[in-house]
């Protein structure tokens, strides 16, 4: 049973934190405010008659950083911008050295500025952070002056106790301290309103937090997606339950209202899918919220009107939309893509007379974290310090590639490569291994041909491999009947995955047709499924390799959790390293697989 993380320590004296247990009721605003005051005051409003009625509050936000301290490589480090003439251009983006500069410049001249995040700050991180259990990322977020964040699903990758350590500090329980200084933990609170300890029946971490300045109060409620247990290992969520996002937010909005906090922002680690891929796509065209779909739409439509804005995440998509609340009034819903490539700048106009946000005045836009600004020196020093510690491990060459091996698309070249690596490793464990399946969500970055450091073009380093597969899942073998294997393929597009299909990446020899003109499980054409050219025999037994997360039924594949005769191997990165080392060299690099194992009909 995971231990309860202790309440967030209030170290930063310039931050006015109000925990759920300690927040006192606030009375009505002073009646002495002049009735004629109406001008917006961005600089404190301290004129001859006291503060103005309206005060603009800047809300800077981002989400899904995933420990990307250095500029992400390949497509993971680019955003698409829509041009006035309808064309698009690609912009290199991301890296905390640049994110820090952009956020600091954005705050200039704004005395009332809050920085918040929508979860997945850590987890699935590159080597510079993941090797050290994401302590470097927490240090970077402290330097970014992050005020508050919700938890995301990846905050639970290593379990509740480790999340508590990231919040409260202390050296790693098994690996100890990485430097001569004790890890201090986060200066900001992680909010987990809908994450309940089954033992205590209480939230694992603080459910909400209140920012205060000169009488201005803005409350934040943080939740992660209710389906977190479906996409995190069972060990990571052991002893926890995850409640409905809307019910939880509405519950704590009432709590804040009773305590006199009328301006409320929800930080929700769940998101949507805009119809356009450009970061500046207008998802309010033709009407409010018409250009975005996905779980966040229903959430936004049902969260109480007491909440004034929604900062979201999880889908790694960029959008700034207005979606009507249950009262039919427009409300801002934002997401800043992922990996620190964008940040959102929202203006919340606070009414001192009512203590609420004047929603008709809310403005918001996403901004690119371009790399044409000076690097923040303190972030450069942080990156250099941790890279020095990681270099002996990270710089080791593990293979060679002839071109970029990408990770996007229904079937990706990198997905096929990883599946092939797992099948090859599976055959080392058991020569009877037949096929391997890899979940696309477990592939966190492409392999890029251009050298990132001094290793040379085409060289794959251990650090790059770690960035691709950072979860330390084991490669497992299990027996499935042919009927079960067919069912697994159908679960890609049905059940929990029907609305957002998760197409498993197949090893060489497994082929079939995916007909997207059909619906549900029928999208997998059963008669087309072949293994090494032969039809799948429903009554035969097949030896299937997959990572331990999938083998446990994760990602909406319950049939994979029903396999028998389990055999557990080493971690998946070891399998990839062995495959690259055995099948590539400087003179004979691996070429990107053709990604032609699944025939897609649209």
């Amino acid at each position: 049973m995971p231990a309860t993380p202790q309440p967030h320590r209030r170290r930063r004296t310039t931050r006015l934190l109000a925990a759920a247990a300690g927040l006192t009721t606030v009375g009505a605003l002073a009646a002495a405010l002049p009735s004629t005051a109406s001008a917006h005051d961005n600089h404190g409003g301290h004129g001859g008659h006291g503060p103005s009625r309206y005060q603009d509050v800047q809300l800077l936000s981002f989400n899904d950083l995933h420990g990307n301290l250095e500029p992400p490589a390949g497509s993971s480090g680019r955003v698409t911008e829509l041009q006035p003439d309808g064309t698009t251009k690609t912009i290199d983006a991301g890296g905390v050295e640049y994110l820090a500069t952009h956020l600091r410049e954005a705050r200039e001249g704004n005395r009332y500025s809050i920085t918040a995040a929508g979860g997945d700050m850590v987890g699935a991180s590159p080597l510079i952070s993941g090797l050290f259990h994401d302590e470097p990322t927490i240090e970077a977020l402290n330097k970014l002056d992050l005020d508050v964040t919700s938890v995301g699903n990846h905050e639970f990758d290593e379990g509740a106790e480790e999340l508590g350590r990231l919040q409260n500090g202390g050296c790693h329980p098994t690996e100890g301290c990485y430097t001569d200084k004790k890890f201090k933990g986060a200066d900001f609170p992680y909010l987990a309103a809908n994450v309940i300890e089954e033992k205590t029946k209480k939230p694992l971490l603080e459910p909400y937090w209140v920012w205060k300045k000169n009488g201005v109060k803005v409350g934040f409620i943080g939740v992660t997606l209710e389906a977190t247990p479906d996409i995190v290992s069972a060990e990571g969520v052991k002893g926890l339950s995850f409640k409905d996002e809307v019910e939880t937010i509405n519950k704590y909005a009432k709590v804040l209202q009773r305590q006199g906090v009328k301006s409320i922002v929800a930080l929700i680690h769940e998101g949507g899918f805009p119809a356009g891929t450009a970061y500046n796509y207008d998802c309010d065209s033709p009407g409010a919220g018409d250009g975005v779909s996905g779980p966040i739409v229903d959430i936004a439509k049902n969260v109480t009107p007491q909440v004034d804005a929604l900062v979201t995440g999880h889908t790694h998509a960029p959008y700034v939309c207005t979606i009507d609340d249950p009262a039919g009034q427009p409300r801002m819903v934002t997401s800043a893509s992922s990996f620190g490539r964008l940040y959102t700048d929202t203006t919340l106009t606070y009414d001192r007379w009512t203590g609420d946000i004047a929603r008709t005045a809310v403005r918001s836009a996403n901004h690119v974290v371009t790399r044409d600004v000076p690097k923040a020196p303190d972030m450069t020093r942080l990156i250099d310090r941790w890279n020095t510690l990681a270099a002996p491990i990270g710089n080791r060459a593990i293979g060679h590639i002839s071109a970029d091996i990408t990770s996007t698309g229904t079937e990706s070249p990198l997905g096929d490569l990883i599946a092939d690596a797992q099948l090859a490793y599976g055959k080392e464990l058991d020569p009877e291994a037949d096929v391997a399946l890899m979940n696309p969500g477990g592939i966190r970055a492409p392999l890029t041909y251009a050298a990132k450091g001094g290793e040379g073009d085409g060289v794959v380093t251990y650090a790059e491999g770690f960035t691709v597969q950072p979860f330390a899942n084991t490669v497992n073998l299990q027996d499935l009947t042919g009927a079960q294997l067919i069912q697994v393929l159908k679960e890609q597009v049905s059940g929990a995955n029907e609305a957002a299909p998760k197409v498993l990446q197949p090893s060489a020899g497994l082929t079939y047709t995916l007909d997207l003109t059909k619906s549900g499980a029928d999208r997998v054409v059963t008669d087309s499924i072949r293994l090494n050219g032969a039809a799948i025999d429903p009554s035969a037994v097949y030896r299937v390799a997959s990572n331990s997360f999938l083998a446990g039924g994760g990602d909406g594949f319950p049939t994979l959790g029903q396999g028998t005769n389990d055999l557990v191997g080493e971690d998946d990165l070891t399998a990839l390293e062995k495959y690259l080392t055995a099948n590539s060299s400087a003179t004979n690099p691996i070429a990107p697989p053709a990604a032609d194992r699944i025939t897609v009909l649209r």
Side-chain angles (χ1 to χ4, degrees):
M1 185 70 66
T4 305
Q6 296 302 306
H8 171 65
R9 299 189 311 282
R10 293 157 180 78
R11 295 195 303 271
R12 184 176 296 169
T13 57
T14 58
R15 306 282 169 123
L16 301 179
L17 302 181
L23 187 63
T24 56
T25 302
V26 182
L29 292 171
L33 282 174
S35 60
T36 56
S38 61
H40 288 213
D41 172 20
N42 290 321
H43 301 285
H46 298 293
H49 298 287
S52 297
R53 173 175 176 177
Y54 294 103
Q55 173 63 58
D56 282 350
V57 177
Q58 180 187 58
L59 174 61
L60 301 175
S61 58
F62 56 96
N63 52 274
D64 296 275
L65 180 64
H66 289 289
N68 278 267
L69 304 183
E70 298 177 290
S75 59
S76 296
R78 304 186 189 108
V79 295
T80 301
E81 182 178 67
L82 184 64
Q83 304 297 295
D85 62 1
T87 61
T88 59
K89 75 172 184 178
T90 300
I91 304 172
D92 291 337
V96 294
E97 294 161 296
Y98 305 107
L99 177 60
T101 298
H102 280 281
L103 291 179
R104 290 164 185 172
E105 290 180 351
R107 293 184 189 119
E108 291 179 3
N110 290 281
R111 290 182 57 199
Y112 293 75
S113 183
I114 313 167
T115 303
D120 275 7
M121 296 295 97
V122 300
S125 305
L127 186 92
I128 185 177
S129 186
L131 186 63
F132 306 105
H133 297 276
D134 283 311
E135 290 182 20
T137 295
I138 298 299
E139 287 189 7
L141 293 171
N142 289 343
K143 291 179 181 295
L144 284 176
D145 287 327
L146 181 65
D147 287 291
V148 61
T149 183
S150 67
V151 294
N153 54 285
H154 280 285
E155 264 80 20
F156 296 93
D157 284 348
E158 296 190 45
E161 289 187 8
E162 177 62 8
L163 173 57
R165 188 182 75 89
L166 293 180
Q167 176 71 92
N168 298 304
C171 296
H172 192 271
T174 59
E175 297 183 20
C177 295
Y178 297 112
T179 69
D180 58 358
K181 295 181 180 180
K182 182 180 178 181
F183 174 59
K184 294 181 179 180
D187 283 347
F188 51 90
Y190 264 111
L191 303 182
N194 69 329
V195 184
I196 306 301
E197 278 195 297
E198 294 175 350
K199 184 177 181 179
T200 65
K201 308 300 181 186
K202 296 180 180 180
L204 177 71
L205 297 170
E206 295 177 8
Y208 62 85
W209 173 84
V210 179
W211 180 90
K212 297 179 182 180
K213 186 167 185 176
N214 296 335
V216 176
K217 297 170 292 182
V218 182
F220 291 83
I221 302 167
V223 300
T224 187
L225 69 160
E226 184 182 9
T228 292
D230 297 332
I231 53 177
V232 175
S233 69
E235 190 64 26
V237 295
K238 185 178 180 181
L240 304 174
S241 61
F242 293 76
K243 303 303 182 183
D244 180 83
E245 304 96 334
V246 171
E247 292 178 3
T248 301
I249 293 168
N250 291 351
K251 169 185 174 180
Y252 284 106
K254 291 179 181 178
V255 172
L256 287 170
Q257 289 275 328
R258 287 196 298 268
Q259 296 174 343
V261 181
K262 304 296 179 62
S263 298
I264 302 172
V265 176
L267 306 176
I268 308 173
H269 192 70
E270 179 62 288
F273 304 95
T277 58
Y279 81 88
N280 56 341
Y281 164 74
D282 182 7
C283 56
D284 278 345
S285 179
D290 287 344
V292 68
S293 61
I296 199 59
V297 176
D298 286 339
I299 291 174
K301 289 180 177 179
N302 288 284
V303 164
T304 174
Q306 294 173 334
V307 173
D308 299 297
L310 278 60
V311 173
T312 74
H314 186 57
T315 58
H316 293 199
Y319 48 84
V320 174
C321 305
T322 55
I323 299 175
D324 286 351
D325 67 17
Q329 299 302 311
R331 177 168 53 194
M332 195 64 70
V333 181
T334 69
S335 173
S337 190
S338 62
F339 304 154
R341 293 175 289 175
L342 300 175
Y343 72 92
T344 311
D345 191 338
T346 301
T347 300
L348 303 172
T349 300
Y350 184 88
D351 185 340
R352 291 181 182 271
W353 288 12
T354 65
D356 207 347
I357 299 299
R359 275 215 243 144
T360 56
V362 173
R363 305 181 301 279
S364 188
N366 277 331
H367 299 276
V368 182
V369 177
T370 60
R371 301 177 191 169
D372 58 359
V373 298
K375 296 179 179 180
D378 57 338
M379 291 299 183
T380 300
R381 290 191 295 271
L382 181 148
I383 289 171
D384 289 347
R385 174 163 50 88
W386 287 104
N387 265 335
T388 299
L389 293 175
I393 297 173
N395 292 342
R396 178 168 53 85
I398 62 173
H400 299 78
I401 57 176
S402 64
D404 289 353
I405 303 183
T406 59
S407 56
T408 57
T410 304
E411 178 189 359
S412 72
L414 185 53
D416 287 356
L417 176 67
I418 292 172
D420 289 348
Q422 293 190 1
L423 178 59
Y425 177 72
K427 285 183 176 294
E428 288 184 23
L429 298 177
D430 183 349
E432 298 300 316
D434 296 301
V435 63
L437 299 169
M438 176 64 191
N439 57 315
I443 305 170
R444 306 306 299 185
L447 286 175
T448 54
Y449 177 79
K452 187 176 181 181
E455 74 274 14
D457 290 345
V459 177
V460 179
T461 64
Y462 182 85
E464 291 169 319
F466 189 99
T467 299
V468 171
Q469 291 191 277
F471 295 108
N473 289 315
T474 56
V475 177
N476 292 13
L477 286 174
Q478 57 183 333
D479 288 347
L480 295 176
T481 65
Q484 287 177 312
L485 181 56
I486 293 170
Q487 178 62 23
V488 167
L489 297 180
K490 289 184 176 293
E491 286 170 355
Q492 299 174 114
V493 289
S494 62
N497 295 326
E498 182 163 2
K502 293 177 181 171
V503 179
L504 299 172
Q505 309 296 286
S507 58
L510 180 63
T511 59
Y512 66 95
T513 296
L514 186 62
D515 188 349
L516 297 182
T517 66
K518 298 180 179 179
S519 61
D522 290 340
R523 284 180 279 189
V524 173
V525 181
T526 304
D527 292 344
S528 71
I529 303 173
R530 297 285 187 276
L531 183 59
N532 300 321
I536 298 294
D537 180 353
S539 62
V541 175
Y542 296 86
R543 198 78 167 126
V544 179
S546 66
N547 63 50
S548 50
F549 172 61
L550 275 178
D555 254 0
F557 292 95
T559 302
L560 279 174
Q562 299 168 10
T564 60
N565 194 21
D566 290 354
L567 179 60
V568 177
E570 295 186 77
D571 65 85
D572 48 11
L573 179 53
T574 296
L576 178 62
E577 177 181 354
K578 285 188 172 186
Y579 186 80
L580 290 172
T581 301
N583 292 280
S584 71
S585 66
T587 57
N588 187 28
I590 286 181
D596 56 359
R597 300 165 190 179
I598 304 173
T599 300
V600 181
L601 304 179
R602 301 181 187 275

